[in-house]
Amino acid sequence: KQEVTQIPAALSVPEGENLVLNCSFTDSAIYNLQWFRQDPGKGLTSLLLIQSSQREQTSGRLNASLDKSSGRSTLYIAASQPGDSATYLCAVDWGTSGSRLTFGEGTQLTVNP
Amino acid sequence: NAGVTQTPKFQVLKTGQSMTLQCAQDMNHNSMYWYRQDPGMGLRLIYYSASEGTTDKGEVPNGYNVSRLNKREFSLRLESAAPSQTSVYFCASKPAGYYNEQFFGPGTRLTVL
């Protein structure tokens, strides 16, 4: 079964720390992987999408990497800020009909001032 | 552009009542999706529409029906609501092509008593 796992479920760090969020998936034959941010009571905001042929993508202080052979992706956040506090979700498209996404359960990040 | 819009934002139903959740996108996207988000279970796909005129079941379709009214609108109907359908419902859309992001609406919080 194709599954996506995110560990840890929650993470608390002091402001300014560099941090890594993890995402693992069971089948390496992915088409793309997408990282989202979700604030409490809100919808999902797309952060980065990595295509299967890419190793990493960067946007500002965010860097997402992809290692298909090991079934892993990481989201690196540099110089974390309290405004980064949110739940971060990764989702995988295995190229099924309709480009359906399979989501992990997310990592709830708290950045303390 | 408003992006993906959903109505209503909140709804309380009694068991057995019916209702329709509305979703519209103004980005000329081909594909549209309905997900539900429950604590401890992440986001799960209910139904999707890969293109105008087509709809298909996702992971958890039981108790729901959908209509792709036109390219812009994709509605989700609960014919006889049950407490197990208490959840937050998200609509999403995506342009054609494998390597494009999904964009999400703000969600509808539904409680079934």
Side-chain angles (χ1 to χ4, degrees):
Chain A
K1 185 180 177 185
Q2 293 167 328
E3 294 181 334
V4 179
T5 304
Q6 292 184 252
I7 296 173
L11 181 65
S12 180
V13 300
E15 182 177 3
E17 189 163 300
N18 301 325
L19 61 99
V20 173
L21 304 179
N22 297 299
C23 173
S24 61
F25 44 92
T26 54
D27 181 348
S28 63
I30 71 170
Y31 271 58
N32 62 64
L33 184 147
Q34 199 167 348
W35 281 95
F36 294 89
R37 170 186 172 135
Q38 185 176 28
D39 292 289
K42 305 291 186 183
L44 280 69
T45 300
S46 179
L47 298 173
L48 291 163
L49 181 145
I50 310 179
Q51 299 176 16
S52 59
S53 60
Q54 298 175 321
R55 294 299 300 270
E56 64 179 63
Q57 279 281 8
T58 298
S59 176
R61 293 183 295 108
L62 305 179
N63 177 278
S65 68
L66 176 64
D67 183 346
K68 288 195 301 179
S69 62
S70 66
R72 296 178 66 179
S73 175
T74 60
L75 180 67
Y76 175 84
I77 303 176
S80 58
Q81 304 169 357
D84 294 329
S85 298
T87 297
Y88 291 81
L89 297 146
C90 76
V92 173
D93 178 0
W94 272 287
T96 51
S97 169
S99 297
R100 291 168 282 171
L101 291 177
T102 300
F103 281 83
E105 291 189 34
T107 294
Q108 184 175 4
L109 173 67
T110 302
V111 181
N112 300 299
Chain B
N1 285 351
V4 180
T5 57
Q6 293 182 235
T7 55
K9 287 185 167 51
F10 300 94
Q11 184 71 49
V12 178
L13 293 177
K14 294 181 180 178
T15 297
Q17 287 185 317
S18 63
M19 79 161 295
T20 300
L21 282 64
Q22 306 286 354
C23 174
Q25 52 91 9
D26 62 1
M27 297 174 282
N28 201 36
H29 287 174
N30 280 19
S31 301
M32 297 186 74
Y33 309 83
W34 276 106
Y35 295 88
R36 60 178 288 174
Q37 185 175 36
D38 302 290
M41 307 209 56
L43 275 95
R44 293 178 292 168
L45 182 66
I46 305 171
Y47 270 93
Y48 67 100
S49 171
S51 61
E52 185 179 359
T54 69
T55 61
D56 285 287
K57 296 177 181 179
E59 184 183 353
V60 288
N62 290 348
Y64 305 95
N65 286 300
V66 290
S67 296
R68 183 75 182 267
L69 303 169
N70 48 55
K71 193 170 186 180
R72 290 187 63 248
E73 298 172 290
F74 188 39
S75 62
L76 178 72
R77 182 160 178 84
L78 287 70
E79 290 291 351
S80 179
S84 61
Q85 294 178 304
T86 293
S87 187
V88 182
Y89 292 85
F90 289 102
C91 177
S93 69
K94 190 181 93 60
Y98 284 117
Y99 302 117
N100 291 311
E101 300 164 290
Q102 285 192 23
F103 293 86
F104 280 72
T108 294
R109 189 173 296 273
L110 175 67
T111 301
V112 183
L113 302 175

